[in-house]
Amino acid sequence: MPKAKIRYRKEEWEVASGMTIRAAIEKVGLDPLNVLALRDKKLVNDQTILEPEDEIRLVNVISGG
């Protein structure tokens, strides 16, 4: 089955393509409300479907006032 990669800080996971980014984030044990997903340095929403060979980089959500 084709895989996609998810990277967060120094960790990397392979997940099945065809699932949403949100499902993949939850599968690796992270909270989807605390990270943003980037594909090719562009922000994508958590309902985006992972394609084979995707490389998704997760970054922390930062907020302030």
Side-chain angles (χ1 to χ4, degrees), residues 42-56:
K42 294 180 183 169
L43 185 64
V44 291
N45 72 45
D46 64 355
Q47 295 304 309
T48 300
I49 302 296
L50 287 169
E51 301 292 332
E53 308 300 319
D54 263 353
E55 291 192 21
I56 303 297

Side-chain angles (χ1 to χ4, degrees), residues 14-16 18 21 23 27 36 46 52-53:
E14 282 195 353
V15 295
I21 289 176
K27 183 177 178 107
L36 296 172
D46 64 355
E53 308 300 319

Side-chain angles (χ1 to χ4, degrees), residues 21-38:
I21 289 176
R22 182 181 185 95
I25 291 169
E26 290 172 342
K27 183 177 178 107
V28 300
L30 298 174
D31 184 344
L33 298 177
N34 292 332
V35 294
L36 296 172
L38 301 169

